[in-house]
Amino acid sequence: MTTETAPGRQLTAQGLSYGDVAVGDWYESDAVAVTEQMIDAFAELTGDRFEIHMSVAGAKHHGFQARVAHGLCCRWWTD
């Protein structure tokens, strides 16, 4: 996503509260290589063991090629 094509505003990671963010605003983080160990650790922490996260077979059952990382998993590992 670039500032020319993105809806809303590009946000920084500093000094925001819930009321400062609007629909369409976005934040770009650094790239992270997600490992199976990271997915497993996040599932253990949160209790979210939905099958797309926990097995290739479960992910394929829902149309994915491989296990799917939890939405907040990457953010958790980069903070």
Side-chain angles (χ1 to χ4, degrees), residues 11 24 56 66 72:
L11 303 175
V56 173
L72 293 175

Side-chain angles (χ1 to χ4, degrees), residues 8-31:
R9 305 168 294 155
Q10 181 178 6
L11 303 175
T12 65
Q14 305 298 320
L16 294 174
S17 65
Y18 183 79
D20 297 326
V21 180
V23 173
D25 290 349
W26 57 282
Y27 170 77
E28 186 172 340
S29 63
D30 295 331

Side-chain angles (χ1 to χ4, degrees), residues 28-61:
E28 186 172 340
S29 63
D30 295 331
V32 173
V34 178
T35 66
E36 288 190 2
Q37 292 79 14
M38 292 166 70
I39 296 171
D40 292 341
F42 196 82
E44 181 69 26
L45 176 71
T46 64
D48 180 355
R49 291 182 169 77
F50 185 58
E51 64 183 342
I52 66 170
H53 306 305
M54 304 313 298
S55 74
V56 173
K60 286 186 176 186
H61 178 75

